[in-house]
Amino acid sequence: MSDLARKTENPIRSIWEGCKSTPNPSKKLITLQIGDPTIFKNFLAAPEAKVALRKALDHDNFSYMSCAGLETSREAVAEYVNKNYKGLTTQDFQPITFNDVILTSGCSMALEMCFRVLANPGDNILFPKPCMGYSTWIVGCGVEARYFNLDPNKEWEVDLEHLESMINDKTKAILINNPGNPCGNVYSKEHLLNILNVAERHKIPIIADEIYEFFTFPGVQFYPLAALSKNVPILTCSGITKRFIMPASRMGWIIINDRNHLLDSVRKGLFNLAGRNFVPNSTLTRALPEILRDTPQKFFDDNSKALFNHSLSAFSILKTCDGLTPIMPKGAMYLMVKIELEKFPNIKNCLEFSKILLSEQSVSVFPGFPCFNFPGFFRIVLTVPEELIIEACGRIKMFCEKHYKHDGDKYLKSG
Ligand SMILES: *Cc1c(COP(=O)(O)O)cnc(C)c1O
């Protein structure tokens, strides 16, 4: 086995799936684990997207395309971005053109290409803590993942001082995930400007994982990092997998925002890397312009509203659970819950909390560690139908009632 294969590990897939724990056979399993909104069929792709795909299929002759994707489709992404960014940009923002767009196989591939194009073995990239398993893509290549803290008490804002302290001369990029997974954070304009300020002073480009762009709860404004940046080059990674509820479409993109030509060689490098795989799939590529143009705003609004309601339901139950503190998200489709582990004397850590919860209550959640490199928490997904979220949170409450030790109990025990 090659070094690359040996060192590549997806913390969610391998560590958690390898844990031997089975649901309680007398209770129906409710899974709050996987961030795929389609599983329960309550969130599905827009009918307009299916119409676009059927049409595209009829027109497709399945010939090879340019390796960055069909020009008209890249053009459509540029148009989609420019339209969405309207009113949110700095005065001198230059509209995106198709030349700035590379289509990829999902946001995952977009991210991997950005990591690959910026860092050599021995370099490092900075990631938020908590975050999803970005290290999967880099550790096998000899690139170091370094982590800066997000603060759960400040709506998951970046600890800017800590971020700055993690930068050294081998730091090639900072990754910012907004709206975020697993936290559901959506950053204010001011906070994003502060992050840009750090990057600018150290002359480090930012990889903006904005796969949940504009996927925020009602009344919460999302600001694209590239729309706010004056001087910091931003590689924005996104796609249709989450906001358009098409996870397995594997359609994503990179947008190169570099108005001062600081990353010309990186731009060239990204196109070189695109030549490795000729992605993505031709029918989806042909359907993309119509998917982007015809999916009605109502589709997005309805989904956001539903997810907001789910988050309120989950939050209102979880905040009454002994020993738990849920943190209300502002967007995306997840909610993080803090566990006061010292109040659960028979449970060592959040991984064990998750395993015992599954075996007793048949509710599966992802533990903050190892899944998101953040011990003491667990994450639930909000895309599950509301009645199941309510049922699952009720079971979590029973679980906590059983295992929580009140101070008085300890006193009794020791006395
Ligand atoms: C799901 C997810 C991705 C990957 O998206 P795909 O388009 O399915 O590859 C990237 N970043 C975050 C934060 C995600 O939650």
Side-chain angles (χ1 to χ4, degrees):
M1 181 161 57
S2 71
D3 286 352
L4 174 67
R6 192 166 43 77
K7 290 184 195 152
T8 299
E9 177 175 68
N10 181 324
I12 289 187
R13 301 272 166 193
S14 56
I15 305 180
W16 173 247
E17 287 177 9
C19 291
K20 294 283 169 279
S21 191
T22 41
N24 178 345
S26 66
K27 294 190 182 205
K28 191 170 172 291
L29 174 68
I30 305 177
T31 174
L32 304 180
Q33 280 184 334
I34 300 288
D36 180 344
T38 64
I39 324 179
F40 291 91
K41 302 200 182 337
N42 53 328
F43 291 96
L44 290 169
E48 290 81 358
K50 289 201 173 163
V51 172
L53 272 162
R54 280 194 202 97
K55 268 201 241 168
L57 189 57
D58 286 340
H59 287 118
D60 202 350
N61 48 12
F62 308 105
S63 19
Y64 278 129
M65 303 175 159
S66 140
C67 42
L70 208 62
E71 227 166 78
T72 47
S73 302
R74 289 159 64 201
E75 186 82 58
V77 172
E79 193 184 295
Y80 166 80
V81 169
N82 291 328
K83 186 177 127 231
N84 281 334
Y85 284 21
K86 217 174 201 148
L88 302 174
T89 59
T90 58
Q91 278 173 347
D92 47 347
F93 177 79
Q94 284 165 3
I96 305 299
T97 74
F98 78 90
N99 276 318
D100 306 316
V101 179
I102 295 174
L103 300 185
T104 58
S105 173
C107 182
S108 301
M109 185 174 195
L111 290 164
E112 174 167 27
M113 284 171 65
C114 293
F115 301 150
R116 285 290 187 107
V117 81
L118 289 166
N120 276 317
D123 291 336
N124 66 69
I125 298 177
L126 306 190
F127 296 98
K129 184 177 171 167
C131 70
M132 58 167 239
Y134 296 111
S135 61
T136 306
W137 288 301
I138 69 163
V139 172
C141 313
V143 176
E144 185 196 356
R146 289 166 73 97
Y147 295 93
F148 54 90
N149 293 331
L150 306 185
D151 187 347
N153 300 318
K154 289 190 182 161
E155 302 185 317
W156 299 106
E157 282 194 349
V158 174
D159 178 338
L160 294 166
E161 259 174 52
H162 189 240
L163 167 66
E164 196 149 11
S165 75
M166 295 311 291
I167 296 173
N168 65 17
D169 58 356
K170 292 285 183 194
T171 303
K172 292 299 153 83
I174 300 169
L175 184 131
I176 299 294
N177 177 212
N178 178 53
N181 171 14
C183 304
N185 56 284
V186 181
Y187 294 143
S188 69
K189 187 175 175 176
E190 290 66 33
H191 188 56
L192 292 169
L193 289 171
N194 289 338
I195 294 170
L196 284 167
N197 186 288
V198 175
E200 180 163 4
R201 273 190 282 118
H202 293 272
K203 299 198 170 15
I204 298 175
I206 292 181
I207 301 169
D209 179 351
E210 293 182 355
I211 186 68
Y212 299 99
E213 58 184 350
F214 302 100
F215 202 165
T216 59
F217 295 162
V220 179
Q221 179 64 56
F222 161 73
Y223 290 93
L225 206 51
L228 301 177
S229 173
K230 288 208 168 91
N231 302 310
V232 180
I234 313 280
L235 300 178
T236 302
C237 299
S238 188
I240 62 171
T241 48
K242 303 286 167 67
R243 185 171 184 237
F244 290 77
I245 322 281
M246 299 173 80
S249 69
R250 312 311 304 133
M251 173 57 77
W253 53 75
I254 303 169
I255 313 238
I256 306 162
N257 303 276
D258 178 34
R259 70 177 80 161
N260 298 334
H261 297 280
L262 300 170
L263 290 189
D264 279 347
S265 66
V266 166
R267 179 187 288 268
K268 169 93 175 40
L270 282 172
F271 281 86
N272 290 350
L273 290 179
R276 284 158 54 108
N277 295 309
F278 295 132
V279 286
N281 167 285
S282 64
T283 309
L284 261 151
T285 302
R286 282 178 206 284
L288 186 61
E290 266 192 55
I291 295 175
L292 296 179
R293 276 176 213 141
D294 294 355
T295 305
Q297 185 58 39
K298 186 171 183 311
F299 172 79
F300 304 121
D301 292 346
D302 288 351
N303 290 338
S304 296
K305 235 179 277 168
L307 287 170
F308 179 55
N309 288 334
H310 292 190
S311 70
L312 288 176
S313 292
F315 185 86
S316 67
I317 301 170
L318 293 171
K319 76 169 197 257
T320 67
C321 296
D322 293 331
L324 297 186
T325 312
I327 301 183
M328 186 65 190
K330 292 168 150 187
M333 41 196 215
Y334 314 96
L335 186 152
M336 282 283 266
V337 185
K338 185 177 194 303
I339 312 167
E340 266 178 84
L341 281 165
E342 64 281 7
K343 296 295 179 88
F344 297 94
N346 300 321
I347 299 176
K348 276 203 306 278
N349 53 40
C350 61
L351 175 58
E352 209 179 273
F353 185 99
S354 309
K355 283 200 240 176
I356 305 175
L357 176 65
L358 177 63
S359 65
E360 291 184 4
Q361 295 292 343
S362 298
V363 172
S364 67
V365 298
F366 272 148
F369 191 89
C371 295
F372 311 108
N373 192 24
F374 205 66
F377 281 73
F378 65 87
R379 183 195 81 171
I380 65 168
V381 301
L382 299 169
T383 48
V384 177
E386 194 164 10
E387 62 279 11
L388 288 182
I389 292 194
I390 292 170
E391 163 76 24
C393 291
R395 291 194 208 164
I396 293 173
K397 188 173 163 88
M398 282 195 286
F399 178 82
C400 289
E401 270 161 21
K402 176 176 167 198
H403 293 277
Y404 184 89
K405 288 286 176 288
H406 293 275
D407 292 342
D409 299 349
K410 260 193 235 150
Y411 179 77
L412 277 180
K413 234 195 287 168
S414 58

